[in-house]
Amino acid sequence: MFDDARVSWRHATVSFNGRSWVIEDHGSTNGTFVRGQRIHHLEIGAGSAVHLGNATDGPLVTLSGAAQAAVTPQAQPQQQPYAAQGAGAGWAQQPQAAPQQAAQQQVPQAGWQQPQHSAGQVPPQQPAAHVPPQHHSPADHFAQQSGGAAGAPPAYGDRSPTTFHQFSLGRVMRIGRALENDLVVSDLQVSRHHAEFHATPDGRMEIRDLGSHNGTYVNGQPIAKGGSQLLGPADIVGVGHSTFRIVGDRLEEFVDTGEVSFSARHLTVTVDGGKQILKDVSFGVPEKSLIAVIGPSGSGKSTLLKALTGYRPANQGEVLYDNRNLYKQFAELRQRIGLVPQDDILHKELTVKKALKYAAKLRFPADTTGAEREARIDEVLRELKLDIHKDKKVTSLSGGQRKRVSVALELLTKPSLIFLDEPTSGLDPGMDRDVMQLLRGLADDGRTVLVVTHSVAELALCDKLLVMAPGGAVAYFGPPEEALNFFGYDTWADVFSAFENYRDYDWAGRWKGSQHYQMYAADIDAVAPQPVQTQPMQGIRPPKPQGWTSQFVTLVRRYVSVIVSDKGFLALMVILPAVLGAVSLLIKPDQGLLPNVNAQTGRIIPNGTATTVLLILAVGACFAGAANSVRELIKERVIYERERATGLSRSAYLMSKVFVLGVITVLQGLLVGVIGFASREIPEEGLILGGATLVELSLPIMALGFTSMMFGLIISSLVKTAEKTMPLLVMFAIIQVVFTGCLFALNGTVGVNQFSYLMPSRWAVAAAGATLDFNRISPPEEGADTDPLWEHSLGAWGLDMAALIALGVVCGFFVARFLRRHEPEVMRK
């Protein structure tokens, strides 16, 4: 019996296996160590020294070797078939165990008590699930869930404080990263001068935010930037990874070092029509553990991951981060959660270090120095053994190395919880093992790691295994080494086949009627959540680590770096407009763009060359502009979703795209216009620029390319896959051809003419046509009215250009709205 908070209730067992003494760790929170190495199962001899809870100063156990008592191996549970039992018989099993073991485990010996099923519901030919020697008592299991040894209070506010700070009467206590603060918090998430505690004249205390970048929180809710809030005796103040509580004249600080518990209670997700895709999922995990989630397709794994991270909160139930409600305190706790989606969350065209550099710039406060960011990046690279690859492009790395870079990006902010969605998808078995060993190391270093995976080869590395059944219910939760025996199969392939063949079978009922459920999940509600006052669930607008301008500049620099590193795209940006402009030169190259006048009669002869050339140039500008942007948002959707959750400004992100793509597209439009117009005879005087007619004619082409680029962003924000963009791009270009007004007269065509006002090509051709005086170059048929948009006047030209630009602005508004669909749902409510 050790009175040490680092030792779990049932920490480890020393037993004799008939040949030698064996020490077995029972999934303890802080580990068992022999010769400085953490062990799980090891044969030891006389004189061996074992440390519990810490490799150097943990309680010491020494095997003297004096007593060599004969120890009888623990009786193995008997296996009895249940599948062959008759209808309505159910199944029951009385596990055999030593009396001493049963007493220690404190598990009722009622055996398996399962619900009754008909014969048609019971999967055939399955051996009985048996209960292997148990690794935890329920008391130990939930003591670990609560974050420490038995007797240690569970919640963040009731843990033993990391440090104490004494208040002096009337004194102001300033918190921040800079050394001149009264309370220095060494955390890059904290601003240099973050917040202050003040005493009010009536003796109460208040917290004042000093314009911090990542925000100051009271009970998980952000206070206004630069604002203040009075504090009550139960209020918790959050600053970075630290929380504070005022007790009398003392300030207690709790530093989140990663040793936190995590649990889900009765999570249920319902979609339209009342269909449940996640059903009453409950489980709890101790700190510093690795949990794997497996299950067949349609079992709700991705839905569960979104519910656990707050991206798509469950309709019912709650997620507790160290007994703090994640949904209600998402604005603060989001900073302590890392999420690595299945797709890489980085730009593959950049080098490893440059990709991390831009991520750190966006996630850390604006007052973080370059040296501080550089030091943190180097630290993460060394931890993940990526320092030798830091100058390589991400695209040149292997699949496992790219996944490490994605993990490194999340580790920059030192999250306590890390979630990974299919990190081994598409990797070979060797890389699969490397990634899982990486996650094992992350957990051992003081983080809780939950991984959703289809791979079952390396499940033995995990502390706990959650198996989801079809329909979104829990089929098993517990140690991975006991899972196959629980299901009564030899391989996971057999288990998954049973899930598929017996989809209507009550797998959740079987789990809840099992002794494993009593051991690992039945008492999940025994730990009450911390009774802090929180606001009802609402949309979250998390503070931004960087100001809007700083984010915009960083995003522009990153986007330019991505483009510059892609030599193929750079070449295409020049070749495409050059080719499109040159194509127009094939149309009667000696023909000018002026009205043709019959020398004898003085009548105007329609100049078809002018309308054809302008049609080609307009379509080229449309195609080039839309092609530049049509893939931009869809290819970065996963990156945007993750960065948005960490405080990225939606408008800064969109404007960075508009700015960079706009400059490129406008220059392309200028190139198209100059090539198409320079070699032909054009009017000597324009409507607004006088003798600079070439520039005046190119302006509508440039504006058309920009507006088409905005239409391309709309397409990119709507589609679900990049493959769907090309058909829509072709359709967009063809529609623009029809509604230019060059193929047939639009003016006077009821309905069609009004619809053409939504097409950017209509206004661009009209603006260029106004400069060229299209009503003279291509006069209407006899008796028809001239097109007012083609009038050779400054007013018509201005209207055409204003409408063209207005279409681009409207497109920007819609893109911003559509981008909201790709943000965490908790931020959209």
Side-chain angles (χ1 to χ4, degrees):
M1 189 76 174
F2 295 95
D3 186 15
D4 191 304
R6 294 171 295 181
V7 181
S8 299
W9 268 26
R10 278 185 47 78
H11 193 104
T13 298
V14 178
S15 60
F16 191 73
N17 64 5
R19 181 181 69 255
S20 62
W21 290 93
V22 176
I23 183 166
E24 180 180 6
D25 183 271
H26 293 321
S28 61
T29 299
N30 294 308
T32 303
F33 300 86
V34 176
R35 294 187 295 275
Q37 299 295 320
R38 185 166 184 167
I39 61 95
H40 297 282
H41 186 279
L42 182 69
E43 293 187 1
I44 56 178
S48 296
V50 179
H51 285 280
L52 306 180
N54 187 280
T56 55
D57 62 353
L60 178 64
V61 178
T62 303
L63 184 65
S64 65
Q68 293 290 335
V71 179
T72 303
Q74 296 174 348
Q76 295 297 318
Q78 298 178 354
Q79 293 188 0
Q80 299 176 355
Y82 63 83
Q85 295 177 3
W91 62 87
Q93 180 184 359
Q94 183 74 26
Q96 306 295 319
Q100 296 88 345
Q101 181 187 10
Q104 290 175 346
Q105 290 169 346
Q106 301 177 11
V107 177
Q109 294 300 306
W112 300 81
Q113 297 296 331
Q114 302 292 357
Q116 302 293 320
H117 299 284
S118 66
Q121 289 179 301
V122 181
Q125 311 259 331
Q126 296 184 37
H130 73 275
V131 182
Q134 299 170 10
H135 288 212
H136 299 277
S137 69
D140 178 43
H141 177 63
F142 292 105
Q144 289 182 353
Q145 283 184 13
S146 63
Y156 65 97
D158 292 327
R159 285 184 184 274
S160 297
T162 309
T163 54
F164 302 94
H165 308 277
Q166 200 69 30
F167 274 119
S168 299
L169 187 62
R171 181 185 173 190
V172 174
M173 182 174 287
R174 176 174 291 184
I175 305 172
R177 201 175 72 249
L179 296 178
E180 62 266 22
N181 290 285
D182 302 298
L183 202 164
V184 179
V185 179
S186 181
D187 182 354
L188 290 183
Q189 296 280 66
V190 177
S191 299
R192 294 183 60 82
H193 300 96
H194 197 103
E196 290 178 341
F197 284 100
H198 280 262
T200 62
D202 59 0
R204 301 175 65 184
M205 295 297 296
E206 71 174 2
I207 181 70
R208 295 180 184 175
D209 182 82
L210 300 179
S212 64
H213 297 280
N214 279 319
T216 304
Y217 302 84
V218 176
N219 298 331
Q221 304 300 322
I223 64 176
K225 192 170 186 177
S228 63
Q229 183 170 330
L230 290 172
L231 300 175
D235 288 336
I236 302 296
V237 176
V239 174
H241 285 79
S242 297
T243 51
F244 302 88
R245 182 175 62 179
I246 298 174
V247 180
D249 62 348
R250 188 174 69 176
L251 181 67
E252 297 181 346
E253 179 182 4
F254 306 83
V255 180
D256 185 347
T257 59
E259 297 180 353
V260 297
S261 63
F262 183 76
S263 60
R265 300 185 188 174
H266 307 295
L267 297 183
T268 299
V269 174
T270 305
V271 295
D272 296 339
K275 180 182 178 181
Q276 289 185 344
I277 57 177
L278 204 64
K279 298 179 181 178
D280 195 25
V281 175
S282 296
F283 65 95
V285 297
E287 58 197 47
K288 298 194 298 184
S289 57
L290 174 60
I291 305 95
V293 180
I294 65 172
S297 299
S299 59
K301 299 188 299 296
S302 296
T303 302
L304 175 63
L305 188 65
K306 292 179 180 179
L308 294 177
T309 56
Y311 271 47
R312 200 288 188 193
N315 302 102
Q316 300 175 29
E318 57 185 357
V319 177
L320 300 182
Y321 176 102
D322 225 17
N323 278 4
R324 301 176 65 181
N325 191 304
L326 175 64
Y327 296 162
K328 293 183 178 180
Q329 304 186 34
F330 180 79
E332 177 187 355
L333 296 180
R334 68 184 175 88
Q335 303 178 37
R336 309 190 193 181
I337 296 176
L339 174 62
V340 181
Q342 183 173 348
D343 297 324
D344 293 326
I345 51 176
L346 36 84
H347 293 85
K348 299 178 182 179
E349 299 84 358
L350 302 178
T351 64
V352 171
K353 189 161 187 178
K354 185 171 285 189
L356 295 180
K357 173 185 173 183
Y358 286 120
K361 179 71 173 175
L362 288 171
R363 297 192 182 195
F364 289 142
D367 59 7
T368 307
T369 64
E372 288 176 313
R373 293 194 298 270
E374 192 87 4
R376 179 57 187 156
I377 291 171
D378 290 340
E379 180 183 352
V380 171
L381 289 174
R382 286 193 300 270
E383 180 181 359
L384 298 182
K385 298 179 176 59
L386 287 169
D387 45 340
I388 60 175
H389 303 295
K390 63 181 181 181
D391 295 322
K392 296 180 181 178
K393 285 188 176 183
V394 176
T395 188
S396 68
L397 301 178
S398 66
Q401 290 169 342
R402 285 202 302 271
K403 194 58 64 176
R404 282 178 178 264
V405 179
S406 293
V407 173
L409 190 151
E410 290 301 309
L411 290 185
L412 289 174
T413 54
K414 297 184 178 181
S416 301
L417 284 172
I418 301 178
F419 295 88
L420 300 100
D421 187 9
E422 300 286 356
T424 60
S425 177
L427 302 184
D428 61 50
M431 290 184 179
D432 181 1
R433 180 180 57 193
D434 290 344
V435 171
M436 292 301 292
Q437 288 177 341
L438 165 68
L439 303 184
R440 177 70 265 171
L442 294 177
D444 292 339
D445 288 341
R447 306 174 182 92
T448 298
V449 182
L450 187 145
V451 53
V452 174
T453 179
H454 276 113
S455 175
V456 296
E458 305 296 334
L459 294 180
L461 293 172
C462 302
D463 297 299
K464 293 290 187 294
L465 175 64
L466 177 67
V467 182
M468 301 295 292
V474 176
Y476 172 82
F477 177 73
E481 63 269 19
E482 301 176 14
L484 285 176
N485 285 326
F486 172 82
F487 288 107
Y489 287 107
D490 295 327
T491 67
W492 283 108
D494 294 331
V495 175
F496 278 47
S497 294
F499 283 150
E500 180 63 29
N501 295 332
Y502 305 98
R503 299 186 69 89
D504 295 332
Y505 179 67
D506 187 10
W507 296 102
R510 177 176 183 265
W511 156 242
K512 291 183 178 180
S514 70
Q515 191 167 357
H516 277 75
Y517 176 80
Q518 298 298 322
M519 294 167 59
Y520 301 114
D523 296 333
I524 190 63
D525 289 325
V527 182
Q530 180 71 11
V532 296
Q533 295 181 356
T534 56
Q535 300 177 6
M537 184 63 181
Q538 57 185 351
I540 301 297
R541 290 188 178 181
K544 300 175 178 60
Q546 301 275 333
W548 191 94
T549 302
S550 178
Q551 285 195 12
F552 172 75
V553 172
T554 301
L555 291 167
V556 167
R557 291 178 58 193
R558 182 176 71 178
Y559 193 22
V560 171
S561 297
V562 170
I563 292 175
V564 170
S565 65
D566 190 345
K567 307 302 181 185
F569 182 70
L570 282 175
L572 185 62
M573 283 194 308
V574 177
I575 294 174
L576 179 63
V579 170
L580 293 174
V583 167
S584 67
L585 300 180
L586 302 177
I587 310 299
K588 296 183 180 180
D590 57 341
Q591 179 72 50
L593 304 181
L594 299 174
N596 289 331
V597 181
N598 188 308
Q600 297 179 351
T601 63
R603 297 183 60 182
I604 300 295
I605 302 174
N607 185 354
T609 300
T611 55
T612 303
V613 168
L614 195 53
L615 171 65
I616 293 174
L617 296 180
V619 173
C622 282
F623 188 83
N628 285 340
S629 62
V630 75
R631 289 176 178 264
E632 282 307 308
L633 300 183
I634 181 61
K635 75 179 184 182
E636 291 188 0
R637 181 162 298 177
V638 177
I639 299 176
Y640 172 74
E641 182 176 311
R642 182 68 193 118
E643 290 184 341
R644 179 67 175 140
T646 62
L648 179 69
S649 166
R650 183 196 311 138
S651 59
Y653 174 79
L654 177 57
M655 287 306 299
S656 70
K657 294 291 185 186
V658 172
F659 176 78
V660 176
L661 291 174
V663 170
I664 293 172
T665 304
V666 166
L667 292 177
Q668 287 178 327
L670 178 62
L671 181 60
V672 170
V674 168
I675 293 176
F677 293 122
S679 62
R680 296 182 185 273
E681 186 180 6
I682 56 177
E684 296 181 358
E685 292 290 331
L687 290 172
I688 60 168
L689 298 181
T693 311
L694 178 62
V695 176
E696 184 176 320
L697 286 173
S698 298
L699 282 176
I701 303 300
M702 296 158 65
L704 174 59
F706 179 85
T707 302
S708 298
M709 180 268 295
M710 298 302 294
F711 270 91
L713 288 178
I714 287 184
I715 294 174
S716 191
S717 65
L718 286 175
V719 297
K720 293 184 178 180
T721 62
E723 290 74 16
K724 295 180 180 179
T725 58
M726 296 312 297
L728 293 175
L729 173 62
V730 173
M731 183 179 69
F732 171 76
I734 291 176
I735 291 176
Q736 300 312 306
V737 172
V738 174
F739 290 98
T740 55
C742 296
L743 297 180
F744 61 92
L746 293 173
N747 184 52
T749 307
V750 179
V752 175
N753 187 38
Q754 286 71 27
F755 182 75
S756 71
Y757 294 159
L758 300 176
M759 304 299 147
S761 62
R762 169 73 159 119
W763 299 101
V765 169
T771 299
L772 294 173
D773 197 1
F774 259 21
N775 280 329
R776 291 187 63 210
I777 289 178
S778 182
E781 295 180 0
E782 188 174 348
D785 295 331
T786 58
D787 193 332
L789 301 183
W790 288 2
E791 288 293 333
H792 186 62
S793 66
L794 182 60
W797 189 92
L799 173 64
D800 296 334
M801 291 297 293
L804 185 57
I805 295 173
L807 278 177
V809 173
V810 171
C811 287
F813 171 79
F814 281 109
V815 174
R817 299 298 296 176
F818 294 149
L819 273 177
R820 292 181 71 251
R821 304 188 310 161
H822 312 305
E823 299 172 2
E825 187 168 328
V826 71
M827 300 171 64
R828 290 188 271 132
K829 284 187 177 293

